[in-house]
Coordinates of all heavy atoms in Angstrom, one line a residue:
M1 N -1.9 -23.9 -70.1 CA -3.1 -24.5 -70.8 C -4.2 -24.8 -69.8 O -3.9 -25.3 -68.7 CB -2.6 -25.8 -71.5 CG -3.5 -26.2 -72.5 SD -3.0 -27.7 -73.4 CE -1.4 -27.3 -74.1
K2 N -5.4 -24.5 -70.1 CA -6.5 -24.7 -69.2 C -6.8 -26.2 -69.1 O -6.6 -27.0 -70.0 CB -7.7 -24.0 -69.8 CG -7.5 -22.5 -69.8 CD -8.8 -21.8 -70.0 CE -8.5 -20.3 -69.9 NZ -9.7 -19.5 -69.7
P3 N -7.3 -26.6 -67.9 CA -7.6 -28.0 -67.7 C -8.6 -28.6 -68.6 O -8.5 -29.8 -69.0 CB -8.1 -28.1 -66.3 CG -7.6 -26.8 -65.6 CD -7.4 -25.8 -66.7
I4 N -9.6 -27.8 -69.1 CA -10.7 -28.3 -70.0 C -10.0 -28.7 -71.3 O -10.4 -29.7 -72.0 CB -11.8 -27.3 -70.1 CG1 -13.0 -27.9 -70.9 CG2 -11.4 -26.1 -70.8 CD1 -13.8 -28.9 -70.1
I5 N -9.1 -27.9 -71.7 CA -8.4 -28.2 -73.0 C -7.6 -29.5 -72.9 O -7.5 -30.3 -73.8 CB -7.6 -27.0 -73.5 CG1 -8.5 -25.8 -73.8 CG2 -6.7 -27.3 -74.7 CD1 -7.8 -24.5 -74.1
I6 N -6.9 -29.6 -71.8 CA -6.1 -30.8 -71.6 C -6.9 -32.1 -71.5 O -6.6 -33.1 -72.2 CB -5.2 -30.7 -70.3 CG1 -4.2 -29.6 -70.4 CG2 -4.5 -32.0 -69.9 CD1 -3.5 -29.3 -69.1
V7 N -8.1 -32.0 -70.8 CA -9.0 -33.2 -70.8 C -9.5 -33.5 -72.1 O -9.6 -34.7 -72.6 CB -10.1 -32.9 -69.8 CG1 -11.2 -33.9 -69.8 CG2 -9.5 -32.8 -68.3
M8 N -9.9 -32.5 -72.9 CA -10.5 -32.7 -74.2 C -9.5 -33.2 -75.2 O -9.8 -34.1 -76.0 CB -11.1 -31.4 -74.8 CG -12.1 -31.7 -75.8 SD -13.5 -32.6 -75.2 CE -13.9 -33.7 -76.6
L9 N -8.2 -32.8 -75.1 CA -7.2 -33.4 -75.9 C -6.9 -34.9 -75.6 O -6.7 -35.7 -76.5 CB -5.9 -32.6 -75.8 CG -5.8 -31.2 -76.5 CD1 -4.6 -30.5 -76.1 CD2 -5.9 -31.4 -78.0
C10 N -7.0 -35.2 -74.3 CA -6.9 -36.6 -73.9 C -8.1 -37.5 -74.5 O -7.9 -38.6 -75.0 CB -6.8 -36.8 -72.4 SG -5.3 -36.1 -71.7
V11 N -9.3 -36.9 -74.4 CA -10.4 -37.6 -75.0 C -10.3 -37.7 -76.5 O -10.6 -38.8 -77.1 CB -11.7 -36.8 -74.7 CG1 -12.9 -37.4 -75.4 CG2 -12.0 -36.9 -73.2
D12 N -9.8 -36.7 -77.2 CA -9.6 -36.8 -78.6 C -8.5 -37.9 -79.0 O -8.7 -38.6 -79.9 CB -9.1 -35.4 -79.2 CG -10.2 -34.4 -79.2 OD1 -11.4 -34.8 -79.0 OD2 -9.8 -33.2 -79.5
A13 N -7.5 -37.9 -78.2 CA -6.4 -39.0 -78.4 C -7.0 -40.4 -78.2 O -6.7 -41.3 -79.0 CB -5.2 -38.7 -77.5
A14 N -7.8 -40.5 -77.2 CA -8.5 -41.8 -77.0 C -9.4 -42.2 -78.1 O -9.4 -43.4 -78.5 CB -9.2 -41.8 -75.6
M15 N -10.1 -41.2 -78.6 CA -11.0 -41.5 -79.8 C -10.2 -41.9 -81.0 O -10.6 -42.7 -81.8 CB -11.9 -40.3 -80.0 CG -13.0 -40.2 -79.0 SD -14.0 -41.6 -78.7 CE -14.8 -41.8 -80.3
F16 N -9.1 -41.2 -81.2 CA -8.2 -41.6 -82.3 C -7.8 -43.1 -82.2 O -7.9 -43.8 -83.2 CB -6.9 -40.7 -82.4 CG -7.1 -39.3 -82.9 CD1 -6.5 -38.3 -82.3 CD2 -7.9 -39.1 -84.0 CE1 -6.7 -37.0 -82.7 CE2 -8.1 -37.8 -84.5 CZ -7.5 -36.7 -83.8
L17 N -7.3 -43.5 -81.0 CA -6.9 -44.8 -80.8 C -8.0 -45.8 -81.0 O -7.8 -46.9 -81.6 CB -6.2 -45.0 -79.5 CG -4.9 -44.2 -79.3 CD1 -4.4 -44.4 -77.8 CD2 -3.9 -44.8 -80.2
V18 N -9.2 -45.5 -80.5 CA -10.3 -46.4 -80.6 C -10.7 -46.6 -82.1 O -11.0 -47.7 -82.5 CB -11.5 -45.9 -79.8 CG1 -12.8 -46.6 -80.1 CG2 -11.2 -46.1 -78.3
T19 N -10.7 -45.5 -82.8 CA -11.1 -45.6 -84.2 C -10.0 -46.4 -85.0 O -10.4 -47.3 -85.8 CB -11.2 -44.2 -84.8 OG1 -12.1 -43.5 -84.0 CG2 -11.7 -44.3 -86.2
I20 N -8.8 -46.2 -84.7 CA -7.7 -46.9 -85.4 C -7.8 -48.4 -85.1 O -7.7 -49.3 -86.0 CB -6.3 -46.4 -85.1 CG1 -6.2 -45.0 -85.8 CG2 -5.2 -47.3 -85.6 CD1 -5.0 -44.2 -85.3
L21 N -7.9 -48.7 -83.8 CA -8.0 -50.2 -83.5 C -9.3 -50.8 -84.0 O -9.3 -52.0 -84.4 CB -8.0 -50.3 -81.9 CG -6.6 -50.0 -81.3 CD1 -6.8 -50.1 -79.8 CD2 -5.6 -50.9 -81.8
T22 N -10.4 -50.1 -84.0 CA -11.6 -50.7 -84.6 C -11.5 -50.9 -86.1 O -11.9 -51.9 -86.6 CB -12.8 -49.7 -84.3 OG1 -12.9 -49.5 -82.9 CG2 -14.1 -50.3 -84.8
A23 N -10.9 -50.0 -86.8 CA -10.7 -50.1 -88.2 C -9.8 -51.3 -88.6 O -10.0 -52.0 -89.6 CB -10.1 -48.8 -88.8
L24 N -8.8 -51.6 -87.7 CA -7.9 -52.7 -88.0 C -8.5 -54.0 -87.5 O -8.2 -55.0 -88.2 CB -6.6 -52.4 -87.3 CG -5.7 -51.2 -87.8 CD1 -4.5 -51.1 -86.9 CD2 -5.3 -51.5 -89.2
K25 N -9.3 -54.0 -86.5 CA -9.7 -55.3 -85.9 C -11.1 -55.7 -86.2 O -11.5 -56.9 -86.1 CB -9.5 -55.3 -84.4 CG -8.1 -55.0 -83.9 CD -7.4 -56.2 -83.6 CE -6.0 -55.8 -83.1 NZ -5.2 -56.9 -83.0
A26 N -12.0 -54.8 -86.6 CA -13.4 -55.1 -86.7 C -13.6 -55.9 -88.0 O -13.3 -55.5 -89.1 CB -14.2 -53.8 -86.8
R27 N -14.2 -57.1 -87.8 CA -14.6 -58.0 -88.9 C -16.1 -58.3 -88.7 O -16.6 -58.5 -87.6 CB -13.8 -59.3 -88.8 CG -12.3 -59.1 -88.9 CD -11.9 -58.8 -90.4 NE -10.5 -58.8 -90.5 CZ -9.8 -57.7 -90.6 NH1 -10.4 -56.5 -90.7 NH2 -8.5 -57.7 -90.8
P28 N -16.8 -58.3 -89.8 CA -18.2 -58.6 -89.7 C -18.4 -60.0 -89.3 O -17.8 -61.0 -89.8 CB -18.7 -58.3 -91.2 CG -17.6 -58.4 -92.0 CD -16.4 -58.0 -91.2
R29 N -19.3 -60.2 -88.4 CA -19.7 -61.6 -87.9 C -21.2 -61.7 -88.0 O -21.9 -60.8 -87.7 CB -19.2 -61.8 -86.5 CG -17.8 -61.9 -86.4 CD -17.4 -62.1 -84.9 NE -16.3 -61.2 -84.6 CZ -16.1 -60.6 -83.5 NH1 -16.9 -60.8 -82.5 NH2 -15.1 -59.7 -83.3
P30 N -21.7 -62.9 -88.4 CA -23.1 -63.1 -88.5 C -23.8 -63.0 -87.2 O -25.0 -62.7 -87.1 CB -23.3 -64.5 -89.2 CG -21.9 -65.1 -89.2 CD -20.9 -64.1 -88.9
G31 N -23.2 -63.4 -86.1 CA -23.8 -63.4 -84.8 C -23.9 -62.0 -84.1 O -24.5 -61.9 -83.1
R32 N -23.2 -61.1 -84.7 CA -23.2 -59.7 -84.0 C -24.5 -59.1 -84.2 O -25.0 -58.9 -85.3 CB -22.1 -58.9 -84.7 CG -21.9 -57.5 -84.0 CD -20.9 -56.7 -84.6 NE -19.6 -57.3 -84.4 CZ -18.5 -56.9 -85.1 NH1 -18.5 -56.0 -86.0 NH2 -17.3 -57.5 -84.8
P33 N -25.2 -58.7 -83.1 CA -26.5 -58.1 -83.2 C -26.5 -56.7 -83.8 O -27.5 -56.4 -84.5 CB -26.9 -58.0 -81.7 CG -25.7 -58.0 -80.9 CD -24.7 -58.7 -81.7
R34 N -25.5 -56.0 -83.7 CA -25.5 -54.6 -84.2 C -24.1 -54.2 -84.6 O -23.1 -54.6 -84.0 CB -26.0 -53.7 -83.1 CG -26.1 -52.2 -83.5 CD -26.7 -51.4 -82.4 NE -25.6 -51.2 -81.5 CZ -25.7 -50.6 -80.3 NH1 -26.9 -50.2 -79.9 NH2 -24.7 -50.4 -79.5
P35 N -24.0 -53.6 -85.8 CA -22.6 -53.2 -86.2 C -22.0 -52.2 -85.2 O -22.7 -51.3 -84.7 CB -22.8 -52.6 -87.6 CG -24.2 -52.8 -87.9 CD -25.0 -53.2 -86.7
V36 N -20.7 -52.3 -85.1 CA -20.0 -51.4 -84.1 C -19.8 -50.0 -84.8 O -19.6 -49.0 -84.0 CB -18.6 -52.0 -83.8 CG1 -17.7 -52.1 -84.9 CG2 -18.0 -51.4 -82.6
W37 N -19.9 -49.9 -86.1 CA -19.6 -48.6 -86.7 C -20.6 -47.5 -86.4 O -20.3 -46.4 -86.3 CB -19.6 -48.8 -88.2 CG -18.5 -49.7 -88.7 CD1 -18.6 -51.0 -89.2 CD2 -17.1 -49.5 -88.6 NE1 -17.4 -51.5 -89.5 CE2 -16.4 -50.6 -89.1 CE3 -16.3 -48.4 -88.2 CZ2 -15.0 -50.6 -89.2 CZ3 -15.0 -48.4 -88.3 CH2 -14.3 -49.6 -88.8
S38 N -21.9 -47.9 -86.1 CA -22.9 -46.9 -85.8 C -22.6 -46.2 -84.5 O -22.6 -45.0 -84.4 CB -24.3 -47.5 -85.8 OG -24.3 -48.5 -84.9
S39 N -22.2 -46.9 -83.5 CA -21.9 -46.3 -82.2 C -20.6 -45.6 -82.2 O -20.5 -44.5 -81.6 CB -21.9 -47.3 -81.0 OG -21.7 -48.6 -81.5
L40 N -19.7 -46.0 -83.0 CA -18.4 -45.3 -83.2 C -18.6 -44.0 -83.9 O -18.1 -43.0 -83.5 CB -17.4 -46.2 -83.9 CG -16.0 -45.6 -84.1 CD1 -15.4 -45.5 -82.7 CD2 -15.2 -46.5 -85.0
A41 N -19.5 -44.0 -84.9 CA -19.8 -42.7 -85.6 C -20.4 -41.7 -84.7 O -20.1 -40.5 -84.8 CB -20.6 -43.0 -86.9
V42 N -21.4 -42.1 -83.9 CA -22.1 -41.2 -83.0 C -21.1 -40.6 -82.0 O -21.1 -39.4 -81.7 CB -23.3 -41.9 -82.3 CG1 -23.8 -41.1 -81.2 CG2 -24.3 -42.3 -83.4
S43 N -20.3 -41.5 -81.4 CA -19.3 -41.0 -80.4 C -18.3 -40.1 -81.0 O -17.9 -39.1 -80.4 CB -18.7 -42.2 -79.7 OG -17.9 -42.9 -80.6
L44 N -17.9 -40.4 -82.2 CA -16.9 -39.5 -82.9 C -17.6 -38.1 -83.2 O -16.9 -37.1 -83.1 CB -16.4 -40.1 -84.2 CG -15.3 -41.2 -84.0 CD1 -15.1 -41.9 -85.3 CD2 -14.0 -40.6 -83.6
L45 N -18.8 -38.1 -83.6 CA -19.5 -36.9 -84.0 C -19.7 -36.0 -82.7 O -19.5 -34.8 -82.8 CB -20.9 -37.2 -84.6 CG -21.6 -36.0 -85.1 CD1 -20.9 -35.4 -86.3 CD2 -23.0 -36.5 -85.6
I46 N -20.1 -36.7 -81.6 CA -20.2 -35.9 -80.4 C -18.9 -35.3 -79.9 O -18.8 -34.2 -79.5 CB -20.9 -36.8 -79.3 CG1 -22.3 -37.1 -79.7 CG2 -20.8 -36.2 -77.9 CD1 -23.0 -38.1 -78.8
T47 N -17.8 -36.1 -80.0 CA -16.5 -35.7 -79.5 C -16.0 -34.5 -80.4 O -15.4 -33.6 -79.9 CB -15.5 -36.8 -79.5 OG1 -16.0 -37.9 -78.8 CG2 -14.2 -36.4 -78.9
A48 N -16.3 -34.6 -81.7 CA -15.8 -33.6 -82.6 C -16.6 -32.3 -82.4 O -15.9 -31.2 -82.4 CB -16.0 -34.0 -84.1
S49 N -17.8 -32.4 -82.1 CA -18.6 -31.1 -81.9 C -18.2 -30.5 -80.6 O -18.1 -29.2 -80.5 CB -20.1 -31.4 -81.9 OG -20.5 -32.2 -80.9
V50 N -18.0 -31.3 -79.5 CA -17.6 -30.7 -78.2 C -16.2 -30.1 -78.3 O -15.9 -29.0 -77.8 CB -17.6 -31.8 -77.1 CG1 -17.0 -31.3 -75.9 CG2 -19.1 -32.2 -76.9
S51 N -15.3 -30.8 -79.1 CA -13.9 -30.2 -79.3 C -14.0 -28.9 -80.0 O -13.3 -27.9 -79.6 CB -13.1 -31.2 -80.1 OG -12.8 -32.3 -79.4
F52 N -14.9 -28.8 -81.0 CA -15.0 -27.5 -81.7 C -15.6 -26.4 -80.9 O -15.1 -25.3 -80.9 CB -15.8 -27.7 -83.0 CG -15.8 -26.5 -83.9 CD1 -14.7 -26.2 -84.7 CD2 -16.9 -25.7 -83.9 CE1 -14.7 -25.1 -85.5 CE2 -16.9 -24.5 -84.7 CZ -15.8 -24.3 -85.5
Q53 N -16.5 -26.7 -80.0 CA -17.1 -25.7 -79.2 C -16.2 -25.2 -78.1 O -16.1 -24.0 -77.9 CB -18.4 -26.3 -78.5 CG -19.6 -26.4 -79.4 CD -20.8 -27.0 -78.7 OE1 -20.7 -27.4 -77.6 NE2 -21.9 -27.2 -79.5
I54 N -15.4 -26.1 -77.6 CA -14.4 -25.7 -76.6 C -13.3 -24.9 -77.3 O -12.9 -23.9 -76.7 CB -13.8 -26.9 -75.9 CG1 -14.8 -27.6 -75.0 CG2 -12.6 -26.6 -75.0 CD1 -14.4 -28.9 -74.3
A55 N -12.9 -25.3 -78.5 CA -11.9 -24.5 -79.2 C -12.4 -23.1 -79.6 O -11.6 -22.2 -79.5 CB -11.4 -25.3 -80.4
D56 N -13.7 -23.0 -79.9 CA -14.2 -21.8 -80.3 C -14.3 -20.8 -79.1 O -14.1 -19.6 -79.2 CB -15.6 -22.0 -80.8 CG -16.2 -20.7 -81.5 OD1 -15.4 -20.0 -82.1 OD2 -17.4 -20.5 -81.3
K57 N -14.6 -21.3 -77.9 CA -14.7 -20.5 -76.7 C -13.3 -20.1 -76.1 O -13.2 -19.1 -75.4 CB -15.5 -21.2 -75.6 CG -16.9 -21.3 -76.0 CD -17.8 -22.0 -74.9 CE -19.2 -22.0 -75.4 NZ -20.0 -23.0 -74.8
H58 N -12.3 -20.9 -76.4 CA -10.9 -20.6 -75.9 C -10.0 -20.3 -77.1 O -8.8 -20.7 -77.1 CB -10.4 -21.8 -75.2 CG -11.2 -22.2 -74.0 ND1 -11.1 -21.4 -72.8 CD2 -12.2 -23.1 -73.7 CE1 -12.0 -21.9 -71.9 NE2 -12.6 -23.0 -72.4
R59 N -10.5 -19.6 -78.0 CA -9.7 -19.2 -79.2 C -8.5 -18.3 -78.7 O -8.7 -17.4 -78.0 CB -10.5 -18.4 -80.2 CG -9.8 -18.2 -81.5 CD -10.7 -17.7 -82.6 NE -11.9 -18.5 -82.8 CZ -11.9 -19.6 -83.7 NH1 -10.8 -19.9 -84.3 NH2 -13.0 -20.3 -83.9
G60 N -7.3 -18.6 -79.2 CA -6.1 -17.8 -78.9 C -5.4 -18.4 -77.7 O -4.2 -18.0 -77.5
S61 N -6.0 -19.2 -76.9 CA -5.2 -19.8 -75.7 C -4.4 -21.0 -76.2 O -4.6 -21.5 -77.3 CB -6.2 -20.2 -74.6 OG -7.0 -21.2 -75.1
D62 N -3.5 -21.4 -75.3 CA -2.7 -22.6 -75.7 C -3.5 -23.8 -75.9 O -4.4 -24.2 -75.1 CB -1.7 -22.9 -74.6 CG -0.7 -21.7 -74.4 OD1 -0.5 -21.0 -75.4 OD2 -0.1 -21.6 -73.3
G63 N -3.4 -24.5 -77.0 CA -4.1 -25.7 -77.3 C -5.4 -25.5 -78.0 O -6.0 -26.5 -78.4
G64 N -5.9 -24.3 -78.1 CA -7.2 -24.1 -78.8 C -7.2 -24.4 -80.2 O -8.1 -25.0 -80.8
E65 N -6.1 -24.1 -80.9 CA -6.0 -24.4 -82.4 C -5.8 -25.9 -82.6 O -6.3 -26.4 -83.6 CB -4.8 -23.6 -83.0 CG -5.0 -22.1 -83.1 CD -4.7 -21.4 -81.8 OE1 -4.0 -22.0 -80.9 OE2 -5.2 -20.3 -81.6
L66 N -5.1 -26.5 -81.7 CA -4.9 -28.0 -81.8 C -6.3 -28.7 -81.6 O -6.6 -29.6 -82.3 CB -3.9 -28.5 -80.8 CG -3.6 -30.0 -80.8 CD1 -3.0 -30.3 -82.2 CD2 -2.6 -30.3 -79.7
L67 N -7.1 -28.2 -80.7 CA -8.4 -28.8 -80.5 C -9.3 -28.6 -81.7 O -10.0 -29.4 -82.1 CB -9.1 -28.1 -79.3 CG -9.2 -28.9 -78.0 CD1 -9.7 -28.1 -76.9 CD2 -10.0 -30.2 -78.2
E68 N -9.2 -27.4 -82.3 CA -10.0 -27.1 -83.5 C -9.6 -28.0 -84.7 O -10.4 -28.5 -85.4 CB -9.8 -25.7 -83.9 CG -10.8 -25.2 -85.0 CD -10.7 -23.7 -85.2 OE1 -10.0 -23.0 -84.5 OE2 -11.3 -23.3 -86.2
Y69 N -8.3 -28.3 -84.8 CA -7.8 -29.2 -85.9 C -8.3 -30.6 -85.6 O -8.7 -31.3 -86.5 CB -6.2 -29.1 -85.9 CG -5.7 -30.1 -86.9 CD1 -5.7 -29.8 -88.3 CD2 -5.1 -31.3 -86.5 CE1 -5.2 -30.7 -89.2 CE2 -4.6 -32.2 -87.4 CZ -4.6 -31.9 -88.7 OH -4.1 -32.8 -89.6
C70 N -8.2 -31.0 -84.3 CA -8.6 -32.4 -84.0 C -10.1 -32.6 -84.2 O -10.5 -33.7 -84.6 CB -8.3 -32.7 -82.5 SG -6.5 -32.9 -82.2
S71 N -10.9 -31.5 -84.0 CA -12.3 -31.7 -84.3 C -12.6 -32.0 -85.7 O -13.5 -32.8 -86.0 CB -13.1 -30.4 -83.8 OG -12.8 -29.3 -84.6
G72 N -11.9 -31.4 -86.6 CA -12.1 -31.7 -88.1 C -11.7 -33.1 -88.4 O -12.3 -33.7 -89.2
V73 N -10.6 -33.5 -87.8 CA -10.1 -34.9 -88.1 C -11.1 -35.9 -87.5 O -11.4 -36.9 -88.2 CB -8.7 -35.1 -87.5 CG1 -8.3 -36.6 -87.7 CG2 -7.7 -34.2 -88.2
L74 N -11.6 -35.6 -86.4 CA -12.6 -36.6 -85.8 C -13.9 -36.6 -86.6 O -14.5 -37.6 -86.7 CB -12.9 -36.2 -84.3 CG -11.8 -36.5 -83.3 CD1 -12.2 -35.8 -82.0 CD2 -11.6 -37.9 -83.2
L75 N -14.3 -35.4 -87.2 CA -15.5 -35.4 -88.0 C -15.2 -36.2 -89.3 O -16.1 -37.0 -89.7 CB -15.8 -34.0 -88.4 CG -17.1 -33.7 -89.2 CD1 -18.3 -34.2 -88.4 CD2 -17.2 -32.3 -89.5
G76 N -14.0 -36.2 -89.8 CA -13.7 -37.0 -91.0 C -13.7 -38.5 -90.6 O -14.2 -39.3 -91.4
M77 N -13.3 -38.8 -89.4 CA -13.3 -40.2 -89.0 C -14.8 -40.7 -88.8 O -15.1 -41.8 -89.0 CB -12.5 -40.4 -87.7 CG -11.1 -40.3 -87.9 SD -10.2 -40.6 -86.3 CE -8.6 -41.1 -86.9
A78 N -15.7 -39.8 -88.3 CA -17.1 -40.1 -88.2 C -17.7 -40.4 -89.6 O -18.5 -41.4 -89.7 CB -17.8 -39.0 -87.5
I79 N -17.3 -39.6 -90.6 CA -17.8 -39.9 -91.9 C -17.3 -41.2 -92.4 O -18.0 -42.0 -93.1 CB -17.4 -38.7 -92.9 CG1 -18.1 -37.5 -92.5 CG2 -17.6 -39.1 -94.3 CD1 -17.7 -36.2 -93.2
F80 N -16.0 -41.5 -92.1 CA -15.4 -42.8 -92.5 C -16.2 -44.0 -91.8 O -16.5 -45.0 -92.5 CB -14.0 -42.9 -92.0 CG -13.4 -44.3 -91.9 CD1 -13.0 -45.0 -93.0 CD2 -13.3 -44.9 -90.7 CE1 -12.5 -46.3 -92.9 CE2 -12.8 -46.2 -90.6 CZ -12.4 -46.9 -91.7
S81 N -16.6 -43.8 -90.6 CA -17.4 -44.8 -89.9 C -18.8 -45.0 -90.5 O -19.2 -46.2 -90.6 CB -17.6 -44.5 -88.4 OG -16.3 -44.4 -87.8
V82 N -19.4 -44.0 -90.9 CA -20.7 -44.1 -91.6 C -20.5 -44.8 -92.9 O -21.4 -45.7 -93.3 CB -21.3 -42.7 -91.8 CG1 -22.5 -42.8 -92.7 CG2 -21.7 -42.1 -90.4
L83 N -19.5 -44.5 -93.7 CA -19.3 -45.2 -94.9 C -18.9 -46.7 -94.7 O -19.4 -47.5 -95.5 CB -18.1 -44.5 -95.7 CG -18.5 -43.1 -96.2 CD1 -17.3 -42.4 -96.9 CD2 -19.6 -43.1 -97.2
A84 N -18.2 -47.0 -93.7 CA -17.9 -48.4 -93.4 C -19.2 -49.1 -93.0 O -19.4 -50.3 -93.3 CB -16.9 -48.5 -92.3
L85 N -20.1 -48.4 -92.3 CA -21.4 -49.0 -91.9 C -22.2 -49.3 -93.1 O -22.8 -50.4 -93.3 CB -22.1 -48.1 -90.9 CG -23.5 -48.5 -90.6 CD1 -23.5 -49.8 -89.7 CD2 -24.2 -47.4 -89.8
L86 N -22.2 -48.3 -94.1 CA -23.0 -48.5 -95.3 C -22.4 -49.7 -96.1 O -23.2 -50.5 -96.7 CB -23.0 -47.3 -96.1 CG -23.9 -46.1 -95.6 CD1 -23.7 -44.9 -96.4 CD2 -25.3 -46.5 -95.6
R87 N -21.1 -49.8 -96.1 CA -20.5 -50.9 -96.9 C -20.8 -52.2 -96.3 O -21.1 -53.2 -97.0 CB -19.0 -50.7 -96.9 CG -18.2 -51.7 -97.6 CD -16.7 -51.4 -97.5 NE -16.0 -52.5 -98.2 CZ -14.7 -52.7 -98.1 NH1 -14.0 -51.8 -97.5 NH2 -14.1 -53.7 -98.7
Q88 N -20.9 -52.3 -94.9 CA -21.2 -53.5 -94.3 C -22.7 -53.9 -94.5 O -23.0 -55.0 -94.7 CB -20.9 -53.4 -92.8 CG -21.1 -54.7 -92.0 CD -20.6 -54.5 -90.6 OE1 -20.2 -53.5 -90.1 NE2 -20.8 -55.6 -89.8
K89 N -23.5 -52.9 -94.4 CA -25.0 -53.1 -94.6 C -25.3 -53.6 -96.0 O -26.2 -54.4 -96.3 CB -25.8 -51.9 -94.3 CG -25.8 -51.5 -92.9 CD -26.8 -52.4 -92.2 CE -27.0 -51.9 -90.7 NZ -27.8 -52.7 -90.0
M90 N -24.6 -53.0 -97.0 CA -24.8 -53.4 -98.4 C -24.2 -54.8 -98.8 O -24.5 -55.3 -99.8 CB -24.3 -52.3 -99.3 CG -25.0 -51.0 -99.2 SD -24.4 -49.7 -100.2 CE -24.7 -50.3 -101.8
G91 N -23.3 -55.2 -98.0 CA -22.7 -56.6 -98.2 C -21.6 -56.5 -99.2 O -21.2 -57.6 -99.7
T92 N -20.9 -55.4 -99.4 CA -19.8 -55.3 -100.3 C -18.5 -55.5 -99.7 O -17.5 -55.4 -100.3 CB -19.8 -54.0 -101.1 OG1 -19.8 -52.9 -100.1 CG2 -21.1 -53.8 -101.9
D93 N -18.5 -55.9 -98.4 CA -17.2 -56.0 -97.7 C -16.8 -57.5 -97.6 O -15.8 -57.8 -96.8 CB -17.3 -55.4 -96.3 CG -18.3 -56.0 -95.4 OD1 -19.2 -56.8 -96.0 OD2 -18.3 -55.8 -94.2
A94 N -17.4 -58.4 -98.3 CA -17.0 -59.8 -98.2 C -15.6 -60.0 -98.8 O -15.2 -59.4 -99.8 CB -18.0 -60.6 -99.0
A95 N -14.8 -60.8 -98.2 CA -13.5 -61.1 -98.6 C -13.6 -61.9 -99.9 O -14.3 -62.9 -100.0 CB -12.7 -61.8 -97.6
G96 N -12.8 -61.5 -100.9 CA -12.9 -62.1 -102.2 C -11.8 -62.9 -102.6 O -10.7 -63.1 -102.4

């Protein structure tokens, strides 16, 4: 397996963990200057696009298909982050 694929798989795994921990722990606070979801969505989108480009250039090598699959999952997590941001901005996430 090429080193670039190994490094990108490690970055993908780290982004998975960050997204899961953020989804479990993030609570809206009035003192927070900016929602965390916007920066998470941007970083997920960048990571997904880089993963897809690396997988496209290394098609057929070990780990290329896994990188391509991870890029789709990360893109879905980016969409989730945008939806969570919209929910927080609209104020529909109040505990009832």
Side-chain angles (χ1 to χ4, degrees):
M1 197 178 303
K2 295 192 176 199
I4 187 77
I5 294 176
I6 294 171
V7 169
M8 201 62 218
L9 284 172
C10 291
V11 170
D12 287 350
M15 289 304 297
F16 285 137
L17 292 176
V18 166
T19 305
I20 290 169
L21 290 176
T22 302
L24 293 177
K25 302 265 181 187
R27 300 284 184 253
R29 288 181 229 148
R32 184 180 293 167
R34 185 177 75 187
V36 70
W37 295 111
S38 59
S39 22
L40 185 63
V42 170
S43 62
L44 282 167
L45 187 65
I46 290 171
T47 307
S49 65
V50 170
S51 289
F52 187 77
Q53 288 178 357
I54 291 173
D56 190 39
K57 289 181 179 152
H58 298 284
R59 190 171 303 274
S61 65
D62 294 336
E65 290 82 19
L66 184 61
L67 254 173
E68 190 173 353
Y69 177 77
C70 288
S71 70
V73 173
L74 287 172
L75 186 62
M77 288 180 158
I79 293 170
F80 162 77
S81 297
V82 169
L83 292 175
L85 174 68
L86 288 174
R87 180 180 176 189
Q88 186 176 0
K89 288 283 187 182
M90 293 176 67
T92 58
D93 60 346

